[in-house]
């Protein structure tokens, strides 16, 4: 490995070192606060390292990895999300019965797995990153083992994730048998020469099944609601943002390498999945009275929207990145409110618990309202330009059916978001709600972070051009 290759990998090395540092801190019996602050500093170091090495990109690290502008964008999204999740994790676990220290080891290992996916150019690094992410999530989901629904959610994810890994490996084996290589670019050269055989396409299909599970795409979505409901609120936020960003990044890189969007059969299958996600996700969300389950089903619909940009090929990558940024900020804001309202016994999951929130805490209600309006794609929030860019890429590629379904299902989604908003501003319950007592500094820091996220949603909704231009710059690396 050359000096420049090592330098390009330094952000990921620091990310791996974060888990080791936490292990050492636990060995020396440091407090939860020390571990939290150290983890935050390490994540900031990753961001600084990624910014420092930007002039050395793109950099190949054959045969497994490539660090380029595309990877830098998605890794930046991942680290940004983890910084917020880490802060939410502190206030969530500080009053819980479980020892929260080992939680951060799992959190950073899962983050490393997701980050490795963004730089993967080989099936081996693809599988290692995905399994590092998945195995960490098994424990994170069931971390509060005294809760029955947490253990149940962890077991469901474990069984279904193991099954999806089997599909993934079988698909990789079929492709390797046909092409004699596991490197994306080498596979693409064979496909360009010989075309896609039946066995090769079967391998692609099996890989799409595995990725469909990780992204909770229809019909591989059945785990989503139970896992979202059973997992701790910060872990749910992590699953909804970090894990899906990494998986979507490797899907885009692999599809671009083998020109998947140019295959008629593949486009037809993914189009059907996208339409099914948009329709099924919104319809199931309509029937939910639990906020976390509602957000689980709405996330299915949102990744259906994201597939519209995915089907547009290279022209849709910029729109997809902006959509993921807006989606991540929005969900982190929403789960931040859920975390603040959760008690030591249960998460703030029942919609009735949000009744009259505006009269108890106007700032919380304002942040949650802006987040829900952004998810609905209302103008002056980040969700509006995000959906507009997705719709534009679909229209430019003449995907009229997808564009029409996107618009119609967005109208349906508006109903259940407005239902939550109306509950926030309803008359408060007669029984007063007990407020949580937290460390003043972290309570203030969490509030400040959520206010910043709310302002970002407004800024991106009014002036998205700055982010769009920077995304284009990074993608040109």
């Amino acid at each position: 490995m050359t000096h420049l290759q090592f330098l390009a990998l330094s952000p990921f090395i620091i990310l791996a070192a974060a888990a080791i540092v936490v292990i050492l801190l636990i060995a020396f019996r440091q407090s939860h606060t020390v571990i939290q602050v150290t983890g935050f500093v390490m994540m900031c170091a990753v961001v600084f390292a990624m910014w420092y090495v930007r002039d050395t990109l793109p950099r190949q690290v054959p045969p497994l990895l490539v660090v380029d502008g595309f990877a830098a964008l998605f890794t930046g999204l991942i680290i940004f999300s983890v910084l917020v999740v880490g802060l939410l994790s502190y206030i969530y676990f500080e009053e819980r019965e479980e020892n929260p220290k080992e939680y951060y080891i799992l959190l950073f290992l899962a983050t490393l797995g997701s980050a490795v996916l963004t730089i993967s150019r080989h099936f081996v690094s693809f599988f290692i990153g995905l399994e590092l992410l998945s195995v960490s999530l098994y424990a994170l989901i069931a971390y509060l083992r005294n809760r029955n629904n947490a253990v149940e959610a962890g077991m469901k994810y474990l069984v279904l994730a193991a099954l999806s890994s089997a599909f993934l490996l079988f698909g990789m084996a079929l492709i390797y048998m046909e092409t004699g290589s596991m490197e994306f670019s080498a596979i693409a050269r064979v496909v360009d020469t010989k075309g896609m055989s039946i066995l090769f396409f079967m391998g692609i299909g099996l890989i799409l099944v595995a990725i469909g599970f990780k992204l909770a795409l229809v019909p591989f979505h059945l785990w989503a609601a139970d896992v979202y409901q059973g997992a701790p609120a910060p872990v749910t936020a992590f699953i909804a943002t970090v894990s899906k960003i990494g998986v979507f990044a490797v899907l885009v890189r692999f599809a671009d390498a083998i020109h998947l969007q140019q295959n008629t059969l593949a486009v037809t299958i993914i189009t059907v999945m996208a339409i099914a996600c948009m329709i099924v996700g919104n319809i199931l969300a309509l029937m939910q009275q639990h906020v976390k389950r509602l957000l689980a089903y709405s996330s299915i619909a949102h990744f259906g929207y994201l597939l519209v940009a995915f089907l547009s090929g290279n022209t849709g990558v910029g729109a997809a990145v902006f959509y993921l940024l807006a989606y991540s900020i929005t969900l982190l804001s929403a789960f931040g409110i859920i975390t603040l309202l959760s008690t030591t016994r249960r998460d703030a999951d029942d919609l009735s618990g949000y009744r009259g929130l505006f009269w108890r805490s106007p700032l919380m209600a304002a942040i949650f309202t802006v987040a829900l309006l952004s998810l609905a794609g209302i103008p002056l929030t980040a969700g509006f330009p995000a959906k507009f860019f997705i719709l534009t890429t679909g229209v430019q590629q003449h995907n009229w059916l997808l564009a029409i379904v996107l618009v119609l299902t967005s109208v349906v989604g508006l109903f259940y978001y407005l239902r939550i908003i109306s509950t926030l501003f309803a008359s408060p319950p007669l029984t007063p709600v007990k407020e949580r007592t937290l460390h003043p500094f972290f309570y203030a820091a969490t509030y400040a972070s959520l206010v910043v996220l709310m302002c970002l949603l407004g800024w991106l909704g009014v002036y998205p051009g700055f982010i769009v231009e920077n995304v284009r710059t990074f993608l040109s690396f």
Side-chain angles (χ1 to χ4, degrees):
M1 181 182 294
T2 66
H3 168 70
L4 290 177
Q5 289 174 337
F6 182 83
L7 194 64
L9 289 177
S10 60
F12 306 92
I13 296 171
I14 296 172
L15 187 53
I20 299 174
V21 169
V22 172
I23 293 173
L24 294 175
L25 290 175
I26 293 173
F28 287 102
R29 300 184 182 277
Q30 296 298 317
S31 67
H32 182 198
T33 304
V34 171
I35 293 173
Q36 162 67 28
V37 172
T38 303
F40 184 85
V41 171
M42 293 291 287
M43 292 303 103
C44 291
V46 174
V47 175
F48 174 77
M50 185 60 75
W51 180 259
Y52 180 76
V53 304
R54 70 190 187 282
D55 293 333
T56 67
L57 306 181
R59 186 66 50 188
Q60 303 278 346
V61 188
L64 300 181
L65 307 172
V66 55
V67 185
D68 53 10
F70 176 88
L73 270 178
F74 280 91
T75 303
L77 279 175
I78 288 170
I79 300 303
F80 167 77
S81 301
V82 170
L83 283 170
V84 179
V85 169
L87 184 58
L88 299 180
S89 299
Y90 179 87
I91 65 171
Y92 185 88
F93 285 101
E94 181 65 13
E95 296 181 340
R96 292 305 189 279
E97 68 278 6
E98 297 290 344
N99 188 338
K101 298 177 182 179
E102 291 78 7
Y103 168 87
Y104 294 96
I105 302 173
L106 297 168
L107 184 69
F108 294 147
L109 287 175
T111 304
L112 177 62
S114 188
V116 167
L117 289 174
T118 67
I119 58 175
S120 295
R121 48 170 280 185
H122 195 283
F123 280 156
V124 171
S125 55
F126 178 8
F127 185 73
I128 290 173
L130 193 64
E131 287 306 295
L132 186 56
L133 170 64
S134 299
V135 172
S136 301
L137 283 178
Y138 300 156
L140 286 172
I141 292 168
Y143 197 80
L144 296 176
R145 61 181 185 274
N146 291 330
R147 294 184 181 181
N148 291 331
N149 56 350
V151 176
E152 177 187 350
M155 285 301 298
K156 286 181 178 178
Y157 191 82
L158 170 64
V159 173
L160 293 175
L163 183 62
S164 72
S165 295
F167 277 100
L168 179 67
L169 286 174
F170 193 17
M172 290 177 176
L174 290 177
I175 292 176
Y176 179 71
M177 183 176 69
E178 281 295 297
T179 62
S181 177
M182 292 188 286
E183 189 178 350
F184 294 170
S185 57
I187 293 171
R189 288 193 294 269
V190 174
V191 171
D192 291 339
T193 304
K194 300 181 179 179
M196 291 189 181
S197 64
I198 295 177
L199 284 177
F200 181 88
F201 202 82
M202 286 176 61
I204 294 295
L206 292 171
I207 290 176
L208 287 178
V209 168
I211 292 177
F213 167 80
K214 298 298 181 183
L215 296 178
L217 304 177
V218 177
F220 315 108
H221 66 287
L222 298 179
W223 62 272
D226 292 335
V227 170
Y228 273 50
Q229 185 178 14
V235 176
T236 308
F238 184 92
I239 296 170
T241 55
V242 175
S243 69
K244 292 187 178 182
I245 290 171
V247 174
F248 187 77
V250 74
L251 171 63
V252 171
R253 192 184 291 279
F254 179 60
D256 179 62
I258 66 171
H259 311 298
L260 187 65
Q261 291 91 341
Q262 297 178 14
N263 184 279
T264 305
L265 181 57
V267 168
T268 303
I269 292 172
I270 297 173
T271 299
V272 172
M273 290 177 66
I275 294 173
C277 287
M278 290 186 274
I279 294 174
V280 173
N282 281 296
I283 290 176
L284 290 176
L286 280 173
M287 301 182 287
Q288 298 304 314
Q289 294 297 322
H290 295 274
V291 176
K292 288 169 73 176
R293 293 182 72 89
L294 185 149
L295 291 175
Y297 287 124
S298 73
S299 71
I300 297 171
H302 282 283
F303 271 84
Y305 305 149
L306 203 57
L307 287 180
V308 178
F310 170 76
L311 287 169
S312 301
N314 287 331
T315 58
V317 175
V321 172
F322 186 89
Y323 194 91
L324 282 171
L325 174 62
Y327 174 77
S328 298
I329 296 173
T330 304
L331 276 190
L332 290 170
S333 302
F335 280 109
I337 299 301
I338 293 173
T339 301
L340 286 174
L341 293 176
S342 298
T343 65
T344 55
R345 293 182 177 272
R346 63 192 303 271
D347 287 356
D349 192 24
D350 198 336
L351 185 58
S352 61
Y354 293 83
R355 185 176 183 84
L357 179 62
F358 174 77
W359 307 106
R360 306 197 307 268
S361 177
L363 183 58
M364 278 192 189
I367 295 170
F368 203 19
T369 299
V370 172
L372 293 169
L373 292 176
S374 180
L375 285 172
I378 300 300
L380 302 183
T381 64
F384 177 73
K387 280 189 178 178
F388 179 78
F389 295 150
I390 293 284
L391 185 62
T392 301
T393 58
V395 171
Q396 288 176 346
Q397 297 298 316
H398 306 290
N399 292 325
W400 299 108
L401 180 59
L402 286 172
I404 292 171
V405 174
L406 189 155
V407 172
L408 294 178
T409 53
S410 295
V411 175
V412 175
L414 182 61
F415 174 80
Y416 54 80
Y417 293 129
L418 289 178
R419 185 178 64 189
I420 300 178
I421 293 173
S422 65
T423 303
L424 299 178
F425 291 88
S427 300
L430 297 177
T431 305
V433 179
K434 183 181 178 181
E435 298 292 336
R436 296 183 63 185
T437 56
L438 298 168
H439 192 288
F441 172 78
F442 283 96
Y443 193 74
T446 304
Y447 255 113
S449 300
L450 293 178
V451 170
V452 169
L453 291 178
M454 180 179 68
C455 294
L456 281 175
L457 289 176
W459 178 61
L460 290 175
V462 175
Y463 186 65
F466 176 78
I467 297 296
V468 172
E469 290 302 320
N470 279 278
V471 167
R472 289 175 180 169
T473 301
F474 271 92
L475 290 177
S476 65
F477 285 177

